[in-house]
Amino acid sequence: MLGEFSPLEIDDVKWMLRVRDGDEEAFRELVEKYQTSIRNLCFRLIGNREDAEEVALEVFVQLYLSRHRYKPEAKLSTYLYRIAMTRSLNRIRDQKRKRAISLEFLKEEGRLDPEISPSDLPDVQLEQKEMEARVRNALEALPEKQRTALVLRRYEELSYEEIASIMGISVSAVEALLHRARETLRKRLKGLFS
Amino acid sequence: MKCKKVKRVLSPYLDCALSPEESNAVKRHLESCSACQEYASELEAMWKVLDVLPSMPENPYFVQRVLSRIEEKESEQFSFVHRLEHFLVPVATGFALLLGIWIGYLAGGNGERLGNENGNSTLVASTEYLETFSPLPSASLGEVYLSLNTELGEEGTP
C-alpha cells in the first residue's frame, strides 16, 4: 500500500501512525509542517483572519481526535485539505446566514450605513487596499466550487489530480471549474491589469 | 486547433496540465492568432494580480493553541461520560429495585385464592412450601397455621 506514496508522503504516513499510537511529539511535528498551508487555505476561502485561524485550529483538532480511525489510504495532505475545505465552506455559509440576519436587522432599525466608497480611505493605503479588496470581493463572488478549485491551484499550487481528489470530483470537472473561474476573474479584474 | 477549442484548453495549458502534443498545438495556434494571444495574456496578467492577496501572518502559538483546544475537547468528552455515569448509576439502581419488587410481587402472588359464601375470594399464602418446616412442634404457631389452612382449603374446595 505504501508503494503508492512518494518518500515524503511515506514520512507523513509514518508520523501519522505514530500519532495514532499516541505520540504527541509526532502530532506537533505534523501541525508545524502543515499549519501554513492549512491556515492560508482557510484564509483565502473564508476571507477573514479570525475565522480562518479558528477553522484551521479545528482542522488539526479533528485530525487528532479521529487519529484512531486513520488508515494510510490517502495522502495526509489530501485528507487535511479536505477537512479544511469542508470546514471553511461551512463557515462561509454560517457567515452568510449571520450577515443576512444582521442586515435584515439593520434595515428594520433604519441604521444601515451607505457603503464606504474607496475614496473614503486614506490616500496612502488606497491603491494597495483597493486592489486587495477588489481581488477579495471577486474571489468571494465566485461560486464555492470555482473558488475552492482556484485557491487550491493558484495559492497551494496543487495538481489537477490532487484538486480532484480533495474535492471529490473528476479531473475534467476541475478543468471546467478553473476555466470558468479564470474567465470570470478576467472580466471582473480587468481594470487592475489592463 | 480552432480559437474556440484553444480558449477552452487555455486554463490547463497555462497550468502545464496538457499533454505535450496538445500543448504544442495550443502554442502553435497562439503564435499565429493575435486574438487568442491577447486572451491568454489577459489570463496570465489576471493570475499575477491574485498575488495581491496577503498570506496569513505567522502565529508562533498556533501549535500550542491546537494542543490546548484538544485538551479542552478531551476534558469535555470526559466530563460528559462522567455526567452520564452520574445519571446512569441512580437510574440503573432504581430500575433494579423496581425489577426486584416486580419479581417479588410475581413470586408472592403464588398463593391460593379461596372463595367464601358471598362469592368474595381471599388470597392466602400457599401451603406448598410449609412442609419444609415439618415436623412442626405440636401447638407451635406453624402447626396451627398449617392446620387452619388445610381446613380452609378443604372447605373452599367444591
Side-chain angles (χ1 to χ4, degrees):
Chain A
M1 191 184 285
L2 291 181
E4 298 161 18
F5 296 105
S6 73
L8 278 175
E9 290 155 10
I10 289 175
D11 275 353
D12 277 357
V13 172
K14 285 180 184 164
W15 282 109
M16 200 49 213
L17 290 174
R18 282 177 55 189
V19 172
R20 193 178 67 179
D21 295 337
D23 185 339
E24 196 182 286
E25 194 49 45
F27 179 68
R28 209 181 263 268
E29 291 283 336
L30 280 180
V31 180
E32 289 279 6
K33 181 176 174 182
Y34 285 106
Q35 61 164 312
T36 308
S37 303
I38 297 300
R39 287 170 72 240
N40 278 323
L41 172 64
C42 295
F43 176 48
R44 275 151 188 159
L45 285 176
I46 299 172
N48 170 299
R49 280 193 184 137
E50 287 75 29
D51 283 345
E53 188 79 8
E54 187 61 25
V55 170
L57 204 131
E58 286 168 5
V59 171
F60 289 105
V61 171
Q62 184 175 336
L63 175 73
Y64 186 81
L65 295 180
S66 60
R67 68 193 183 283
H68 299 299
R69 293 196 298 273
Y70 173 73
K71 286 177 190 161
E73 285 166 353
K75 283 166 65 178
L76 180 66
S77 58
T78 303
Y79 180 62
L80 279 172
Y81 279 129
R82 199 178 297 153
I83 304 176
M85 175 192 76
T86 311
R87 284 189 170 265
S88 298
L89 295 180
N90 285 342
R91 182 61 67 113
I92 293 167
R93 285 174 207 140
D94 283 351
Q95 278 178 346
K96 275 186 185 163
R97 218 171 297 134
K98 280 180 194 161
R99 212 175 294 158
I101 292 167
S102 63
L103 274 177
E104 198 61 36
F105 173 74
L106 289 172
K107 270 181 198 165
E108 278 174 17
E109 294 279 302
R111 287 196 277 131
L112 192 59
D113 291 333
E115 261 184 53
I116 297 169
S117 77
S119 57
D120 296 333
L121 293 168
D123 286 349
V124 191
Q125 299 173 336
L126 185 64
E127 201 174 331
Q128 179 68 18
K129 285 286 166 198
E130 193 186 333
M131 255 180 105
E132 206 182 300
R134 280 189 65 182
V135 170
R136 198 183 299 286
N137 289 341
L139 270 180
E140 281 177 15
L142 286 176
E144 276 179 8
K145 284 185 177 174
Q146 288 183 33
R147 189 191 331 173
T148 307
L150 186 115
V151 167
L152 289 171
R153 176 66 207 152
R154 176 62 180 82
Y155 298 104
E156 296 306 314
E157 298 178 353
L158 299 185
S159 70
Y160 283 29
E161 286 76 16
E162 284 172 305
I163 298 171
S165 172
I166 291 164
M167 296 181 71
I169 55 177
S170 65
V171 171
S172 55
V174 173
E175 261 184 45
L177 287 173
L178 285 171
H179 170 70
R180 287 203 294 273
R182 276 182 154 116
E183 178 55 20
T184 309
L185 290 181
R186 183 187 70 88
K187 286 177 187 161
R188 287 198 185 139
L189 301 175
K190 206 160 190 172
L192 298 181
F193 58 80
S194 58
Chain B
M1 212 179 248
K2 292 188 173 171
C3 293
K4 200 176 172 187
K5 168 92 191 277
V6 169
K7 281 188 176 175
R8 218 175 57 229
V9 296
L10 260 181
S11 182
Y13 170 77
L14 295 170
D15 289 331
C16 305
L18 287 182
S19 68
E21 297 78 34
E22 279 180 308
S23 188
N24 282 333
V26 174
K27 197 176 173 186
R28 277 198 302 276
H29 179 90
L30 290 178
E31 282 165 359
S32 61
C33 175
S34 59
C36 286
Q37 210 174 61
E38 194 186 329
Y39 181 73
S41 308
E42 283 184 1
L43 287 183
E44 281 184 303
M46 177 279 293
W47 209 239
K48 283 195 186 110
V49 163
L50 298 181
D51 267 338
V52 78
L53 273 196
S55 303
M56 279 283 271
E58 291 291 318
N59 179 355
Y61 305 107
F62 186 78
V63 180
Q64 201 45 53
R65 281 195 66 202
V66 171
L67 295 174
S68 308
R69 182 63 63 87
I70 287 170
E71 215 168 282
E72 276 170 32
K73 290 260 177 189
E74 283 183 332
S75 73
E76 267 172 32
Q77 281 178 352
F78 174 77
S79 85
F80 175 72
V81 173
H82 204 61
R83 276 203 301 275
L84 203 66
E85 273 175 9
H86 272 281
F87 171 74
L88 279 181
V89 168
V91 166
T93 311
F95 180 74
L97 199 67
L98 285 174
L99 192 70
I101 291 170
W102 183 62
I103 289 171
Y105 171 76
L106 283 184
N110 197 21
E112 292 173 17
R113 195 165 281 278
L114 302 172
N116 60 20
E117 290 165 353
N118 303 325
N120 297 326
S121 62
T122 315
L123 186 70
V124 295
S126 171
T127 57
E128 195 179 340
Y129 303 109
L130 289 177
E131 286 165 10
T132 314
F133 298 102
S134 296
L136 296 166
S138 61
S140 69
L141 189 63
E143 193 206 33
V144 172
Y145 181 72
L146 186 62
S147 64
L148 278 172
N149 267 330
T150 314
E151 282 165 21
L152 274 172
E154 280 166 3
E155 281 170 16
T157 312

